[in-house]
């Protein structure tokens, strides 16, 4: 069966996360988005773990559903750990996602990690633990767990990041590298950028929302065609089988917060070529620039732009529906009309991914404005402009040029 999965997100127990991130809301939003499998996130947090145990019941092997509910949503036990440690004379900060096949195994992991640091302080705990030691602990508890470096390229917390990362998976995990079957591309990079490192050919690239609020879940995701169970999903990832792991859903990488280089407080955004011209120094204040993902990929790449390895899992780049509607209407994402039109489309077609991926233009045009239908089609075809994100500032998507929306619908005002 074909289904969509988003493994990495955060509960309300993580820092800077919406208080709405509880199981009932997640379950509902998964339906709205068209996500079948959702990571629980944060399973090391004692309060969240208790809630998960109380409110979930077993469904398929290794998957869980809300008790006494007929919801199609399934939860899979995941957590992100922030490993902060020093190695080879440098401070390393690496985020790692852990998948667990059962509550019993998750509990053993929690017990062990609880000896190392405070799991209660944050849903994404910060541990003074070498990434390799984390892999060792988790895999010694169960080989059925999966260890995945999160957002590989982000400057501060990515395994390959420019600030506190490594130059390779091997440098980080050493003899445990052979147990690293997958890496998360993160919002600021897409698979095509990762394909430029032949060192990454042996892993499977996965994509997740890393969402801290409900509307963002599924903004990146994975599309499978396999049995619905923990073992089948892990197998599809490990074997990188294109019959079973069909494709990933991606942001346009420019939209991510660390695509370009720059200095946020000075409002300086630079391409890798421009940064080079300035010797990686902010031309405004003279401090060093935050080197983004595009630049870092360029540093480590051994293949030209556009190179595609033979065994690669394909991907589709999408823009969240609310952003398409907002751009088509020429208003902000938070505007009331956006909300109304979003609800209208979900009601008519069932869920967001159906609208974004599958619904033909003619069907869209029956229920919505022609410029919204046009926006969906342009995104599918990759016809968008993006002002790249840098140093923690999100990029800005533009699907329409100024004034174009109105001429499309042939009317002066909308609604
Ligand atoms: Zn992270
Ligand atoms: Zn995260
Ligand atoms: Zn500056």
């Amino acid at each position: 069966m074909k289904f969509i999965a988003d493994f990495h997100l955060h509960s309300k127990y993580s820092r800077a996360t919406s208080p709405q991130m509880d199981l009932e809301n997640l379950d509902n939003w998964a339906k709205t988005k068209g996500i079948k499998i959702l990571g629980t996130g944060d399973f090391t947090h004692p309060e969240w773990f208790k809630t998960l145990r109380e409110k979930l019941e077993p469904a398929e092997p290794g998957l869980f559903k809300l008790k006494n509910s007929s919801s199609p949503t399934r939860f899979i036990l995941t957590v992100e750990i922030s490993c902060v440690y020093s190695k080879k004379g440098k401070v390393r900060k690496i985020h790692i996602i852990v998948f667990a096949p059962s509550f019993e195994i998750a509990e053993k992991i929690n017990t062990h990690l609880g000896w190392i640091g405070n799991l209660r302080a944050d849903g994404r705990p910060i541990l003074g633990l070498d990434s390799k030691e984390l892999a060792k602990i988790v895999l010694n508890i169960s080989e059925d767990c999966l260890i995945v470096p999160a957002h590989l390229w982000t400057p501060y917390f990515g395994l390959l990041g420019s600030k506190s990362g490594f130059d390779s998976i091997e440098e980080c995990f050493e003899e445990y590298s052979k147990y690293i079957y997958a890496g998360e591309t993160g919002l600021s990079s897409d698979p095509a950028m990762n394909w430029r490192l032949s060192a990454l050919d042996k892993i499977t690239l996965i994509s997740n929302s890393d969402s801290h609020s409900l509307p963002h879940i599924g903004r990146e995701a994975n599309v499978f065609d396999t049995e619905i169970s923990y073992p089948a999903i892990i197998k599809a990832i490990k074997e990188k089988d294109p019959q079973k792991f069909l494709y990933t859903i991606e942001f346009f990488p420019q939209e991510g917060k660390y695509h370009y280089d720059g200095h946020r407080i000075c409002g300086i955004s630079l391409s890798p070529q421009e940064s080079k011209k300035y010797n990686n120094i902010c031309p405004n204040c003279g401090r060093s620039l935050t080197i983004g993902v595009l630049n870092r990929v360029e540093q480590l790449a051994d293949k030209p732009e556009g190179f595609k390895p033979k065994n690669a899992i394909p991907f589709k780049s999408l823009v969240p529906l609310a952003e398409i509607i907002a751009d088509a209407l020429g208003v902000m994402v938070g505007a009331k009309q956006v909300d109304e039109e979003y609800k209208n489309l979900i009601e008519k077609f069932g869920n967001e991914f159906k609208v974004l991926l599958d619904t033909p233009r003619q069907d869209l045009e029956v229920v919505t404005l022609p410029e919204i239908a046009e926006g969906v089609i342009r995104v599918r075809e990759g016809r968008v402009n993006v002002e790249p994100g840098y140093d923690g500032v999100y990029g800005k998507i533009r699907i329409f040029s100024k004034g174009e929306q109105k001429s499309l619908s042939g009317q002066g005002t909308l609604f």
Side-chain angles (χ1 to χ4, degrees):
M1 197 183 136
K2 200 171 141 183
F3 62 90
I4 297 177
D6 175 4
F7 302 119
H8 174 190
L9 50 86
H10 295 278
S11 77
K12 61 183 176 186
Y13 295 102
S14 274
R15 225 171 280 173
T17 299
S18 157
Q20 310 268 5
M21 295 293 264
D22 61 31
L23 279 175
E24 293 77 8
N25 285 329
L26 285 168
D27 186 82
N28 261 321
W29 272 87
K31 286 183 268 185
T32 300
K33 293 280 175 175
I35 298 165
K36 172 75 186 170
I37 313 251
L38 207 54
T40 58
D42 299 0
F43 78 63
T44 53
H45 192 275
E47 292 296 314
W48 186 236
F49 192 65
K50 191 166 153 255
T51 305
L52 296 174
R53 281 216 122 144
E54 279 168 9
K55 294 194 172 174
L56 296 178
E57 62 183 13
E60 299 76 11
L63 302 176
F64 304 89
K65 67 192 228 333
L66 272 181
K67 262 181 199 164
N68 310 317
S69 127
S70 56
S71 170
T73 309
R74 297 292 181 265
F75 290 94
I76 182 167
L77 292 164
T78 59
V79 63
E80 180 183 38
I81 312 278
S82 182
C83 292
V84 178
Y85 57 105
S86 168
K87 185 169 176 178
K88 290 189 190 163
K90 216 181 128 184
V91 175
R92 316 288 177 164
K93 299 179 182 174
I94 314 288
H95 285 183
I96 292 171
I97 312 161
V98 176
F99 292 58
S102 69
F103 275 102
E104 291 65 39
I105 285 163
E107 190 165 35
K108 283 184 188 163
I109 294 171
N110 292 351
T111 302
H112 202 125
L113 297 183
W115 300 330
I116 295 162
N118 182 359
L119 301 181
R120 195 173 286 276
D122 194 340
R124 178 187 59 208
I126 301 169
L127 301 178
L129 181 65
D130 190 305
S131 308
K132 188 182 101 175
E133 292 303 314
L134 175 68
K136 195 168 160 183
I137 290 166
V138 169
L139 295 169
N140 274 337
I141 290 170
S142 168
E143 282 186 2
D144 296 328
C145 291
L146 190 68
I147 303 281
V148 180
H151 39 73
L152 278 173
W153 295 97
T154 49
Y156 295 97
F157 300 105
L159 189 149
L160 298 172
S162 63
K163 288 276 184 192
S164 44
F166 294 92
D167 288 345
S168 69
I169 291 175
E170 289 69 23
E171 205 185 337
C172 177
F173 283 103
E174 299 179 3
E175 73 271 24
Y176 277 80
S177 303
K178 61 174 179 289
Y179 303 109
I180 307 303
Y181 293 94
E184 187 188 61
T185 55
L187 301 180
S188 298
S189 90
D190 66 8
M193 292 166 67
N194 288 268
W195 293 340
R196 297 190 54 202
L197 270 79
S198 49
L200 297 181
D201 286 354
K202 56 182 172 295
I203 65 165
T204 305
L205 299 169
I206 68 170
S207 286
N208 303 296
S209 68
D210 197 357
S211 181
H212 291 227
S213 66
L214 294 164
H216 285 160
I217 65 168
R219 59 186 171 176
E220 292 206 332
N222 311 280
V223 184
F224 293 96
D225 187 358
T226 184
E227 182 194 293
I228 295 182
S229 73
Y230 181 95
I233 291 168
I234 300 299
K235 189 164 182 272
I237 293 174
K238 284 186 174 178
E239 293 180 356
K240 206 177 181 178
D241 176 352
Q243 304 298 319
K244 293 186 169 148
F245 189 172
L246 301 183
Y247 62 94
T248 57
I249 291 166
E250 305 282 331
F251 252 36
F252 287 91
Q254 301 87 337
E255 211 185 347
K257 286 194 280 193
Y258 291 100
H259 187 71
Y260 255 26
D261 307 330
H263 197 204
R264 167 158 50 167
I265 54 167
C266 295
I268 297 287
S269 164
L270 300 168
S271 71
Q273 292 77 9
E274 291 169 319
S275 304
K276 208 170 173 184
K277 237 175 30 203
Y278 294 115
N279 291 317
N280 297 339
I281 299 293
C282 174
N284 189 53
C285 72
R287 271 180 280 178
S288 45
L289 294 168
T290 300
I291 297 302
V293 165
L294 188 63
N295 194 330
R296 183 69 179 150
V297 168
E298 196 63 55
Q299 280 173 21
L300 297 181
D302 59 344
K303 300 282 185 209
E305 231 182 301
F307 178 82
K308 188 178 178 190
K310 257 201 260 70
N311 64 342
I313 302 290
F315 70 95
K316 292 183 184 178
S317 305
L318 291 181
V319 173
L321 181 58
E323 286 184 40
I324 299 176
I325 297 169
D327 200 41
L329 300 181
V331 299
M332 303 295 281
V333 172
K336 198 165 148 261
Q337 307 100 291
V338 175
D339 211 41
E340 280 168 5
E341 196 47 36
Y342 183 85
K343 283 190 186 129
N344 172 42
L345 282 160
I346 299 306
E347 204 174 286
K348 297 285 168 27
F349 297 109
N351 65 59
E352 179 169 341
F353 280 128
K354 250 190 201 141
V355 175
L356 292 175
L357 293 165
D358 304 326
T359 309
R361 181 198 289 266
Q362 309 86 282
D363 297 4
L364 291 169
E365 280 177 346
V366 174
V367 303
T368 191
L369 295 166
E371 51 270 42
I372 293 176
E374 171 71 14
V376 170
I377 301 300
R378 283 193 192 182
V379 167
R380 265 184 222 165
E381 294 173 354
R383 291 189 287 135
V384 302
N385 286 308
V386 201
E387 199 180 292
Y390 65 97
D391 197 15
V393 180
Y394 278 111
K396 286 188 198 75
I397 282 275
R398 236 176 287 108
I399 303 161
F400 297 99
S401 51
K402 269 216 170 83
E404 193 187 7
Q405 299 98 319
K406 282 177 189 168
S407 67
L408 270 165
S409 73
Q411 55 190 96
T413 51
L414 306 164
F415 300 101

